Amino acid sequence: MPSNDVRILLQAAVPTAAVGAIAAVVSGVVAGGEGVVGAVVATLVVILFMGIGLYVLQRTAKSLPHLFQAMGLMLYAAQILLLFIFLAAFKNTTLFNPRAFALTLVAGTLAWIAAQTRAHMKAKILYVEPDSSAPKNGDKPEKTGHSS
């Protein structure tokens, strides 16, 4: 992963983890141990889903830029589908508090989106990558200096 992508990933994951930690403390006070587990699981789900999504979109943008928008829409649909599958699998669980899980999931997702937006706005990413060493369009390289 290029350094810009890693930087954006970290700038989104760290605030999301902080929101998850705060949610775990609040959930622990309100719902006890099950609330803490629900908040931690939700935070991990958000970081995992959104992190994989960011990675896939970055790779798509570099290798298949004409499919970027369609891939983004498909990725978000796949994330929602995977979340529904996750929720269906743990529908009747007593492992964690569903309300703490749901609220942390929403708060973590909003934190990720805000942090990722901020990171993209602050990043100085070139739209066109200059390559002065390679000839362009079959042109012969210019001679510099003395002629032989």
Side-chain angles (χ1 to χ4, degrees), residues 1-14 16 45-62 68 71-72 75-76 79 112-113 115-120 123 125:
M1 242 179 154
S3 63
N4 280 337
D5 299 343
V6 172
R7 192 175 316 121
I8 289 172
L9 180 65
L10 286 175
Q11 289 177 349
V14 170
T16 303
V45 166
V46 168
I47 291 173
L48 181 69
F49 280 23
M50 299 298 262
I52 290 172
L54 179 63
Y55 177 74
V56 168
L57 283 177
Q58 293 298 335
R59 285 190 51 101
T60 301
K62 285 177 181 46
F68 182 71
M71 186 61 145
L75 181 69
Y76 292 132
Q79 286 175 333
W112 180 284
I113 291 169
Q116 184 178 351
T117 302
R118 182 178 185 275
H120 274 293
I125 300 172

Side-chain angles (χ1 to χ4, degrees), residues 42-128:
T43 303
L44 292 175
V45 166
V46 168
I47 291 173
L48 181 69
F49 280 23
M50 299 298 262
I52 290 172
L54 179 63
Y55 177 74
V56 168
L57 283 177
Q58 293 298 335
R59 285 190 51 101
T60 301
K62 285 177 181 46
S63 61
L64 303 166
H66 58 283
L67 295 178
F68 182 71
Q69 186 175 16
M71 186 61 145
L73 293 172
M74 187 180 79
L75 181 69
Y76 292 132
Q79 286 175 333
I80 290 172
L81 180 64
L82 286 172
L83 185 59
F84 282 141
I85 291 169
F86 182 86
L87 290 173
F90 290 98
K91 182 170 66 171
N92 296 322
T93 188
T94 58
L95 178 64
F96 56 79
N97 184 315
R99 179 167 281 159
F101 175 81
L103 292 174
T104 304
L105 191 72
V106 170
T109 301
L110 292 175
W112 180 284
I113 291 169
Q116 184 178 351
T117 302
R118 182 178 185 275
H120 274 293
M121 289 174 60
K122 293 185 75 72
K124 300 207 181 336
I125 300 172
L126 296 174
Y127 290 98
V128 177

